[in-house]
């Protein structure tokens, strides 16, 4: 649907939507019947081959699944691509049942499904340069959590990140590229480092904490131990993902 096809009363609604509206919409979607993108209960027979059904998987099991996939990716023995076509033919049009959300940088060297060796339908991926928590990114992840039932969110920076380096150097840039910088600068100041990788790690931690602390949807699930939010960094030279802790002082919940 193009914007011209959107009823006038709905046009520009994104620009006037308040945080309360977003939360209300997510809550309404959570209460809606299972149609289209709205996920229903998952039976074992519907889950991707070799993967646990999302109705029973825990946050720790979800994170283990993707880290096992990263190990296969590094070892040069991925398997997910062998399942994709079968999943499309079997049930991709029926809905989605992802287990993990990922907030990744837009960098072309970070192919998220490949990195975690996950097939179609298993990861709910949001991407923006610098893997920063914009309102739209938070809203998307809230949808993944409240409606689709993902069990973990990985906020993943990466080595040699151009957005991080640009924010550190703060050069004259064309267009709206500089709009990324304010969200990355806290990592520059908090880390007190001129090493881009140190800043990248700090940036992933800050935006994982921001996702928890700024979203009642996320915070409630974390407190209930139904969701884990984990910062991480991806090494573009080795393919390895390293998960990072969030310091207790940076989060409103101790879970
Ligand atoms: Zn990047």
């Amino acid at each position: 649907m193009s914007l011209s096809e959107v009823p006038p009363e709905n046009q520009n609604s994104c620009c006037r939507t308040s945080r309360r509206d977003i939360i209300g919409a997510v809550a309404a979607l959570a209460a809606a019947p299972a149609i289209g993108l709205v996920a229903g209960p998952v039976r074992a027979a519907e889950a991707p081959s070799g993967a646990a059904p999302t109705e029973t998987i825990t946050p720790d099991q979800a994170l283990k699944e993707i880290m096992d996939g990263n190990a296969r990716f590094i070892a040069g023995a991925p398997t997910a691509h062998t399942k994709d076509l079968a999943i499309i033919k079997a049930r991709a049009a029926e809905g989605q049942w992802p287990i993990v959300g990922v907030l990744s940088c837009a960098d072309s060297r970070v192919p998220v499904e490949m990195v975690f060796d996950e097939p179609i339908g298993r990861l709910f991926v949001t991407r923006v340069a610098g893997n920063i928590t914009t309102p739209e990114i938070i809203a998307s992840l809230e949808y993944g959590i409240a409606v689709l039932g993902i069990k973990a969110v990985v906020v993943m920076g990466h080595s040699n990140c151009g957005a991080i380096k640009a924010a550190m150097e703060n050069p004259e840039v064309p267009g709206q590229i500089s709009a990324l910088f304010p969200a990355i600068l806290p990592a520059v100041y908090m880390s007190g480092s001129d090493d881009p990788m140190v800043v990248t790690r700090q940036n992933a931690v800050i935006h994982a904490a921001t996702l928890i602390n700024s979203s009642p949807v996320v915070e409630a699930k974390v407190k209930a131990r139904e969701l884990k939010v984990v910062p991480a960094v991806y090494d573009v030279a080795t393919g390895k993902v390293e998960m990072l802790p969030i310091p207790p002082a940076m989060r409103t919940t101790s879970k």
Side-chain angles (χ1 to χ4, degrees), residues 105 107 130 158 161-163:
C105 183
D107 193 293
H158 66 96
C161 180

Side-chain angles (χ1 to χ4, degrees), residues 104-110 128-131 156-164:
S104 163
C105 183
D107 193 293
S108 64
R109 296 165 294 180
V110 191
V128 60
N131 44 276
M156 190 167 75
H158 66 96
S159 57
N160 295 343
C161 180
I164 296 290

Side-chain angles (χ1 to χ4, degrees), residues 52-65:
T54 53
E55 65 179 3
T56 59
I57 197 167
T58 67
D60 285 334
Q61 287 172 329
L63 290 170
K64 182 179 186 305
E65 178 176 315

Side-chain angles (χ1 to χ4, degrees), residues 5-246:
E5 296 173 288
V6 175
E9 62 271 24
N10 292 342
Q11 289 187 16
N12 299 321
S13 61
C14 62
C15 306
R16 296 194 302 268
T17 302
S18 69
R19 176 155 196 83
R20 178 174 297 176
D21 292 337
I22 293 172
I23 295 170
V26 170
L29 282 168
I35 55 173
L37 288 175
V38 179
V42 178
R43 295 184 296 275
E46 293 176 323
S49 175
T54 53
E55 65 179 3
T56 59
I57 197 167
T58 67
D60 285 334
Q61 287 172 329
L63 290 170
K64 182 179 186 305
E65 178 176 315
I66 63 170
M67 292 307 282
D68 286 349
N70 184 236
R72 289 194 302 275
F73 174 66
I74 294 169
T79 63
H81 63 285
T82 65
K83 305 170 186 171
D84 284 340
L85 190 56
I87 291 171
I88 290 174
K89 290 180 177 178
R91 64 178 180 79
E94 298 173 7
Q96 57 171 326
W97 297 271
I99 60 165
V100 173
V102 181
L103 169 51
S104 163
C105 183
D107 193 293
S108 64
R109 296 165 294 180
V110 191
V112 178
E113 280 85 356
M114 289 177 64
V115 164
F116 291 117
D117 190 31
E118 285 285 14
I120 286 173
R122 209 63 179 154
L123 299 180
F124 188 79
V125 181
T126 59
R127 304 189 66 158
V128 60
N131 44 276
I132 56 179
T133 43
T134 70
E136 295 83 0
I137 289 286
I138 294 173
S140 299
L141 291 169
E142 286 176 333
Y143 176 82
I145 293 162
V147 181
L148 302 178
I150 56 179
K151 303 300 182 185
V153 176
V154 178
V155 178
M156 190 167 75
H158 66 96
S159 57
N160 295 343
C161 180
I164 296 290
K165 291 178 180 176
M168 294 174 70
E169 296 166 3
N170 198 17
E172 287 288 328
V173 289
Q176 300 187 39
I177 295 174
S178 63
L180 300 167
F181 298 169
I184 299 173
L185 287 174
V188 178
Y189 299 137
M190 281 187 68
S191 68
S193 174
D194 57 4
D195 180 343
M197 199 58 214
V198 173
V199 177
T200 295
R201 295 167 75 95
Q202 184 71 65
N203 187 62
V205 169
I206 287 174
H207 286 286
T210 300
L211 180 60
I212 299 172
N213 298 338
S214 66
S215 167
V217 173
V218 178
E219 184 182 42
K221 288 284 187 181
V222 170
K223 282 184 174 177
R225 298 178 183 267
E226 296 173 356
L227 175 77
K228 283 199 170 182
V229 178
V230 183
V233 286
Y234 173 71
D235 188 330
V236 298
T238 66
K240 184 172 177 54
V241 174
E242 177 191 359
M243 292 188 174
L244 308 170
I246 302 176

